[in-house]
């Protein structure tokens, strides 16, 4: 086999739904109750239990989870909210939809997250009223140091844990001790359901408010109005949105959840195998690893730097032609025309590290279904392109 010959296809991500989920969905369909109901309540208990969190509130997406958590803070309109610029655009839309003002923070090159010094410097210019902390790629971020740096109590931090499911910090799961940690069950995330999200919180009162807010602010959801012995009456005492979770999603999630530990172990093995093979390729910077372990390995983002002979874009194209899917996490928020217009050129000029690393970042295939030979194939292509620069005659 010559290295330049396409010999296999390694997709960037693959959504695996276990066989038990198919049967569970059939049972829910046959039950006649499809929307938020007993399956959702059971999923919330089981999800919270797995993280050792006090409460979990299941919602329609992580984006909705962030919006609900921000709205529940009851901040004045236009209040500044810190967020990394190297994040998913949906998290910043959630700030805007909550009537609040995003303030973008530059990237810490060592962790690809945000460091306390950057937060403290930004807080010296604009005092934030809340902050979003994002566990980029699955790297667990310590919330307390960032909250301190921002001058905020921990209760004003909303964690975007879309990548954080399975990450550990201080011997506890990310989300276990959070005021509000937001998870995603999107098709490519570590616990795929297809769509869905959840908020874990240590505050039972907040969980109750979020359960109303996810369903138009109604004091009783449909299960409690139409269920056994229920009354049709309800009040709307809080602002709400339509962001409930369905029993169909819950049935899939309950079937998937017991497999999460094995999937997480496989993700860690994949990362370790990539690390060993790529450590010797000049110019390939490996993903940061937290000192205490506990990475969730949602993504495996390398950086392509000199002396690697190809740019990130050229490498992505060359890998694609050899059957290897890659992606970029993320295009910084301030590179999008909507956010540039919203936030102004001034803010967008102050993010030089994000501007630089955004040209270097490349996420390699990462999912529990990867075989060792898939990983070796990806690494062989990257090493081969490093030697030849992609020149087939080299
Ligand atoms: C996927 C993702 C989200 C959004 O999750 P949805 O469930 O699709 O709304 C938010 N933040 C980050 C960092 C993500 O990767």
């Amino acid at each position: 086999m010559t290295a330049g010959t396409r010999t296999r296809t390694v997709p960037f991500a693959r959504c695996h739904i276990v066989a038990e989920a198919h049967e569970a969905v059939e049972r829910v369909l046959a039950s006649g109750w499809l929307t938020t109901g007993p399956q959702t309540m059971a999923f919330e208990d089981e999800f919270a239990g797995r993280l050792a969190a006090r409460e979990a509130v299941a919602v329609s997406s992580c984006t909705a989870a962030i919006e609900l958590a921000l709205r529940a803070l009851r901040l004045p309109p236009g209040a500044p909210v810190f967020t990394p610029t190297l994040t998913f655009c949906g998290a910043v839309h959630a700030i805007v939809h909550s009537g609040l003002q995003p303030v973008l923070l530059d990237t810490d090159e060592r962790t690809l997250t945000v460091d306390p010094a950057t937060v403290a410097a930004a807080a010296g210019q604009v005092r934030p009223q809340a902050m979003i902390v994002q566990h980029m790629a699955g790297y667990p971020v310590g919330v307390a140091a960032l909250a301190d740096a921002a001058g905020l109590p921990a209760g004003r931090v909303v964690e975007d844990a879309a990548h954080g499911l399975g990450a550990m910090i201080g011997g506890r799961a990310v989300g276990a001790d959070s005021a509000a940690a937001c998870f995603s069950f999107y098709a490519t995330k570590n616990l795929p359901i297809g769509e869905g999200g959840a908020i874990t919180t240590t505050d039972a009162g907040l969980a109750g408010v979020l359960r109303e807010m996810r369903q138009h602010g109604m004091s009783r959801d449909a299960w409690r109005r139409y269920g056994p012995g229920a009354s049709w009456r309800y009040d709307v005492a809080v602002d709400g949105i339509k962001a409930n979770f369905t029993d169909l999603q819950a049935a899939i999630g309950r079937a998937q959840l017991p497999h999460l530990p094995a999937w997480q172990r496989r993700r860690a093995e994949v990362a370790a195998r990539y690390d060993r093979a790529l450590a010797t390729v000049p110019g390939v910077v490996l993903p940061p690893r937290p000192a205490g372990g506990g990475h969730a390995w949602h993504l495996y983002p390398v950086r392509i730097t000199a002396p690697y002979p190809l740019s990130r874009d050229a490498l992505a194209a060359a890998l694609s032609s050899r059957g290897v899917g890659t992606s970029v996490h993320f295009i910084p928020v301030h590179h999008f025309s909507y956010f540039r217009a919203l936030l102004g050129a001034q803010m967008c000029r102050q993010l030089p590290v994000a501007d630089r690393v955004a040209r270097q970042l490349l996420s390699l295939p990462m999912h529990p279904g990867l075989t060792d030979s898939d990983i070796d194939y990806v690494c062989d292509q990257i090493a081969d392109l490093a030697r030849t620069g992609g020149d087939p005659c080299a």
Side-chain angles (χ1 to χ4, degrees):
M1 164 192 134
T2 57
T5 311
R6 176 168 174 164
T7 55
R8 66 169 76 201
T9 301
V10 185
F12 168 67
R14 201 171 61 87
C15 180
H16 179 57
I17 301 292
V18 298
E20 307 93 273
H22 297 241
E23 296 151 23
V25 166
E26 289 288 349
R27 281 197 298 277
V28 172
L29 288 171
S31 78
W33 191 275
L34 308 188
T35 183
T36 312
Q39 290 290 325
T40 298
M41 292 184 241
F43 174 74
E44 289 181 337
D45 285 349
E46 290 163 12
F47 186 74
R50 193 156 287 277
L51 269 55
R54 177 157 181 198
E55 290 271 357
V57 179
V59 294
S60 56
S61 70
C62 181
T63 305
I66 295 168
E67 177 174 342
L68 288 168
L70 287 171
R71 284 175 177 269
L73 293 175
R74 306 284 168 220
L75 301 177
V81 178
F82 280 6
T83 171
T85 191
L86 194 69
T87 192
F88 181 60
C89 60
V92 186
H93 276 303
I95 300 173
V96 178
H97 293 164
S98 312
L100 306 172
Q101 177 67 28
V103 177
L104 303 181
L105 300 178
D106 205 3
T107 308
D108 173 11
E109 187 166 359
R110 292 167 306 115
T111 64
L112 302 178
T113 66
V114 171
D115 74 348
T118 301
V119 171
Q125 293 187 329
V126 187
R127 275 200 76 72
Q129 297 214 33
M131 174 167 56
I132 296 185
V133 166
Q134 205 257 102
H135 302 279
M136 174 72 180
Y139 185 101
V141 179
V143 169
L146 292 178
D148 274 358
L152 291 171
R156 291 288 186 87
V157 175
V158 172
E159 290 174 65
D160 178 352
H163 299 181
L165 182 57
M168 304 287 290
I169 191 156
R172 302 269 294 160
V174 160
D177 303 305
S178 302
C182 303
F183 293 90
S184 175
F185 309 124
Y186 180 70
T188 59
K189 298 283 160 62
N190 288 24
L191 185 74
I193 292 178
E195 296 284 358
I199 307 156
T200 59
T201 177
T202 52
D203 181 343
L206 174 63
V209 170
L210 292 169
R211 288 197 178 97
E212 291 184 5
M213 290 177 73
R214 73 179 168 188
Q215 194 116 291
H216 311 290
M218 293 161 74
S219 60
R220 271 200 205 89
D221 61 29
W223 177 252
R224 289 184 181 80
R225 280 180 287 123
Y226 300 122
S231 154
W232 52 267
R233 283 181 197 282
Y234 60 87
D235 186 26
V236 176
V238 295
D239 60 332
I241 60 175
K242 168 73 176 178
N244 57 309
F245 193 73
T246 68
D247 272 18
L248 286 167
Q249 291 166 296
I252 300 170
R254 295 183 70 196
Q256 298 278 82
L257 199 51
H259 298 272
L260 183 64
W263 291 340
Q264 288 303 117
R265 281 196 294 279
R266 183 59 191 156
R267 284 178 182 273
E269 287 170 9
V270 171
R273 197 172 182 93
Y274 272 133
D275 275 6
R276 280 195 301 276
L278 296 175
T280 52
V281 182
V284 174
V285 180
L286 302 183
R289 278 181 177 265
H295 202 297
W297 295 115
H298 170 58
L299 299 172
Y300 189 87
V302 296
R303 287 198 287 136
I304 305 305
T305 64
Y308 198 86
L310 300 182
S311 68
R312 183 275 311 276
D313 290 0
L315 174 59
L319 287 174
S320 171
S321 72
R322 294 171 180 217
V324 176
T326 59
S327 188
V328 171
H329 299 87
F330 288 97
I331 301 170
V333 167
H334 70 282
H335 288 193
F336 293 118
S337 50
Y338 168 74
F339 289 106
R340 293 184 78 83
L342 181 78
L343 301 171
Q346 169 70 12
M347 182 182 293
C348 299
R349 267 198 297 273
Q350 294 172 1
L351 304 158
V353 182
D355 288 337
R356 179 158 46 78
V357 302
R359 289 194 297 270
Q360 303 170 337
L361 283 166
L362 187 66
S363 299
L364 301 183
M366 172 52 92
H367 54 90
L370 289 172
T371 64
D372 286 354
S373 68
D374 287 333
I375 303 160
D376 295 348
Y377 176 75
V378 173
C379 296
D380 286 349
Q381 305 316 306
I382 294 171
D384 176 64
L385 289 159
R387 276 190 304 274
T388 64
D391 177 356
C393 303

